[in-house]
Amino acid sequence: TAVISPQDPTLLIGSSLQATCSVHGDPSGATAEGLYWTLNGRRLAPELSRVLNASTLALALANLNGSRQQSGDNLVCHARDGSILAGSCLYVGLPPEKPFNISCWSKNMKDLTCRWTPGAQGETFLHTNYSLKYKLRWYGQDNTCEEYHTVGPHSCHIPKDLALFTPYEIWVEATNRLGSARSDVLTLDILDVVTTDPPPDVHVSRVGGLEDQLSVRWVSPPALKDFLFQAKYQIRYRVEDSVDWKVVDDVSNQTSCRLAGLKPGTVYFVQVRCNPFGIYGSKKAGIWSEWSHPTAASTPRSERPGPGGGACEPRGGEPSSGPVRRELKQFLGWLKKHAYCSNLSFRLYDQWRAWMQKSHKTRNQDEGILPSGRRGTTRGPAR
Amino acid sequence: MSRREGSLEDPQADSSVSLLPHLEAKIRQTHSFARLLTKYAEQLLQEYVQHQGDPFGLPGFSPPRLPVAGLSAPAPGHAGLPAPERLRLDAAALTALPPLLEVVRRHQAELNPRAPRLLRRLEDAARQARALGAAVEAVLAALGTETRGPRPEPAAAAAAAAATGAGVFPAKVLGLRVCGLYREWVSRTEGDLGQLVPSGPA
């Protein structure tokens, strides 16, 4: 048998190593003369070794590369016949750099999940342990997060026992065989980083016969329904065979919206998400939830192509958000004041639009049965 | 009077005596289990050498076959022993393996903390060896064969294994040896049970 010295050393990349293999008690009387070294299974050049004495073979390695595997590089001393006499594992790498870019969020104020970026892209060639620490800013002891890798390799989840209305200090410590590093401290209040579940029960339906509109309805996330907050919502939608989403983001504190300017006879996928900003009076923006599961619906078919768009149209009687409807609202308001047309309303306007589309369809059908080149007469509405 | 190796029939009894149906089912079931574990043991060994780095896993790699406290490989004469004795040795080895596999798992948790599949396989192997050992003992009991008297404490043997060979390289070699013994013994158990399985469909 033999002994290698040093046993399991830790070294910086680029450094040198002097090692020895000392044979003792070998019944075959092996001496250092026939011994040789391998590193990770590859025989090392003889000029790197020299015989120190009858029983000791020395090795000199310079400018070491980072370890090939985290369990250590296998430096092995062999007898002349190739049998293994002893081994030692080398750990060659770098100390950790300072972790940075810590970001945290709380789901419904019940927990805290944090993510960070390791320094030097994490490549230290050595196993590096990351520990997320946290404490209340003005009192309390340091705590260590225990549930790691919940949302990626550099993340941790604190599931419970979190205080509100008081700031936390959060940091990450990185440690390996060559040293340690600590991130900057992030200070936050749980209420400033709240997110929630996507809105449930998203329903998308047609608006009567209007071929360029769909109505979207949803329910506010139930987990936060007991807390005072002004939720913001965002809707995104896309045509069935497209990857481009259109986003409607001026949907504030309401649970319905009408999409206008859509293509007729087209299937749309719609998603909704929620931002619980202003919870318990927080001045911060809040964090958007995940998007709800896609809900699909199709607009009615029409001969006439619809205009482009992307705004959230009001339902009957609600204030307009598009330019045409805004102007129409102003006109109707003026009419009511000056022309005593008290029966005018958006509902009546929508009914007129639906009638216009129906009569347009009828006209086109009539034209379809006529010989080509001749146009039918336009018919007005039935009285 | 000849003794057919692997036969559970009493040579002096009527040759038409057959195994009871429930015993036959138990033997078939345990044999299938052993066959499955043989496959898992091979996968464990491959995963293990992959994470230790070369020369582990290279063809011709032959580390010193240091003895593992409390467990040795099946003896060359194992196949020539009577069936009950072979099964007793199988059960004893399968009982000794779980603490040794746990030692290896602890070493690997330090050496390869980012190898969750390897760590899970080691944990599963310990549990499965225990289960197979219990199943073999149940077969022996159903055969009316007494298990041998007290065996060396598996926990003490495992502690001895953990203490010997200080250093990372010896720990890697120990793990290779234990995984190899695990494969040898489940394979041996599969073979021994296979000789007891009556021919014909289940």
Side-chain angles (χ1 to χ4, degrees), chain A residues 8 40 71-72 74 84 87 127, chain B residues 51-52 54 61 113 167-169 172:
Chain A
D8 311 330
N40 289 328
S71 59
N74 299 307
I84 292 173
H127 169 63
Chain B
H51 284 286
Q52 311 318 305
D54 292 337
F61 176 60
V168 175
F169 189 81
K172 289 185 177 184

Side-chain angles (χ1 to χ4, degrees), chain A residues 35 56 98 102 137 141 157 170-171 185 257 306 318 322 326:
Chain A
L35 304 184
T56 305
K98 192 165 111 167
I102 304 176
R137 188 180 199 182
Q141 60 191 14
H157 176 240
I170 298 168
W171 67 99
V185 173
C257 174
E318 292 168 4
R326 201 162 34 239

